[in-house]
Amino acid sequence: MAPLRTFAALFLAANSASAFAPSTSVVSKVVSSSRTSTSVASSVFDDATKDWEEEYPQFATWGWGPSVQAEIWNGRHAMFGWVVMCACAYAKGHDLIPNGDAALNLKEWGTLATITDGLNKGKDTISNERAIILIAQVHAFFVGVAATIAPLPFSDTLLLDPNHPMYEWQVERNSKLGGVMPDISKMGVNPHAELMNGRMAMMGIITLLAYSGIQGQSMIDTINEWVGGAYF
């Protein structure tokens, strides 16, 4: 009798639990509602893009403004920024920057060695670590400028150029991307995944800036805090 009673108890429990489960109609309504909201947001995004193309046709031809081309490159810069910041945190934690905490000599560097101190409302001398990271960022910036002015024939250009060999491929790629939610089912090394990764990287940098500003600490210190002190 014991096994029979156990089976009966499990049967009753399953029936009672099913009473709290949402019905198929409710689930379908929720899915339909989410799809409707996504489609509405997508239509707003598409309308804004069309308005930009009509008001600024030349900029839209180059890929400036709210366009897939601009979003892809903004995401690439954000992902590259994360790589650089994590590399800087690793270098700081392993003493790869010589005399990182030492302040620059004001007599040798002049005003280039000063930085505005927002907390004390004055000026302070930057450290050797900050100076090296700053020069590395300037170098990366000018590499990007050079790639924009004179792009390689096999590279994805920052601005759309009808005379570039990759122009037709860029237009075809951009026509399949964009919108509020890209096709996340297409994983791997493809434009859809790159667009989604770029969006997450940009949102991450916004969160990083906001959190660092609230805490009053550097972004490298925030990154190290988020990974549980793995860097230093």
Side-chain angles (χ1 to χ4, degrees), residues 34-49 66-68 71 174 176-184 192 195-200 202-203:
S34 63
R35 290 178 178 176
T36 302
S37 61
T38 304
S39 62
V40 170
S42 179
S43 63
V44 173
F45 181 85
D46 294 337
D47 293 341
T49 303
S67 64
V68 175
E71 184 178 15
N174 295 348
K176 299 177 181 179
L177 298 176
V180 177
M181 183 60 65
D183 189 359
I184 60 177
H192 294 274
L195 186 66
M196 181 59 71
N197 292 335
R199 287 181 176 180
M200 290 189 293
M202 289 185 285
M203 290 299 297

Side-chain angles (χ1 to χ4, degrees), residues 77-149:
H77 286 113
M79 289 186 286
F80 179 75
W82 275 109
V83 172
V84 172
M85 287 186 292
C86 291
C88 291
Y90 180 86
K92 179 178 181 179
H94 293 77
D95 295 329
L96 298 181
I97 299 178
N99 300 324
D101 296 332
L104 294 183
N105 192 331
L106 187 60
K107 295 182 179 180
E108 295 180 358
W109 292 91
T111 56
L112 293 176
T114 60
I115 187 173
T116 302
D117 189 355
L119 297 177
N120 299 323
K121 297 181 180 180
K123 290 187 177 182
D124 194 8
T125 306
I126 64 175
S127 62
N128 192 26
E129 177 186 75
R130 284 193 175 187
I132 292 176
I133 295 176
L134 176 62
I135 294 301
Q137 292 174 341
V138 172
H139 173 74
F141 172 76
F142 278 103
V143 169
V145 171
T148 305
I149 298 175

Side-chain angles (χ1 to χ4, degrees), residues 88-90 92-94 218 220-225 228-232:
C88 291
Y90 180 86
K92 179 178 181 179
H94 293 77
S218 67
I220 293 180
D221 291 334
T222 299
I223 293 174
N224 183 63
E225 178 183 341
Y231 287 117
F232 53 87

Side-chain angles (χ1 to χ4, degrees), residues 159-192:
L159 303 178
L160 294 177
D161 183 7
N163 298 322
H164 194 271
M166 299 290 291
Y167 177 74
E168 295 182 358
W169 175 84
Q170 290 173 316
V171 173
E172 181 181 1
R173 176 201 60 188
N174 295 348
S175 63
K176 299 177 181 179
L177 298 176
V180 177
M181 183 60 65
D183 189 359
I184 60 177
S185 62
K186 297 182 179 180
M187 305 299 291
V189 184
N190 57 68
H192 294 274

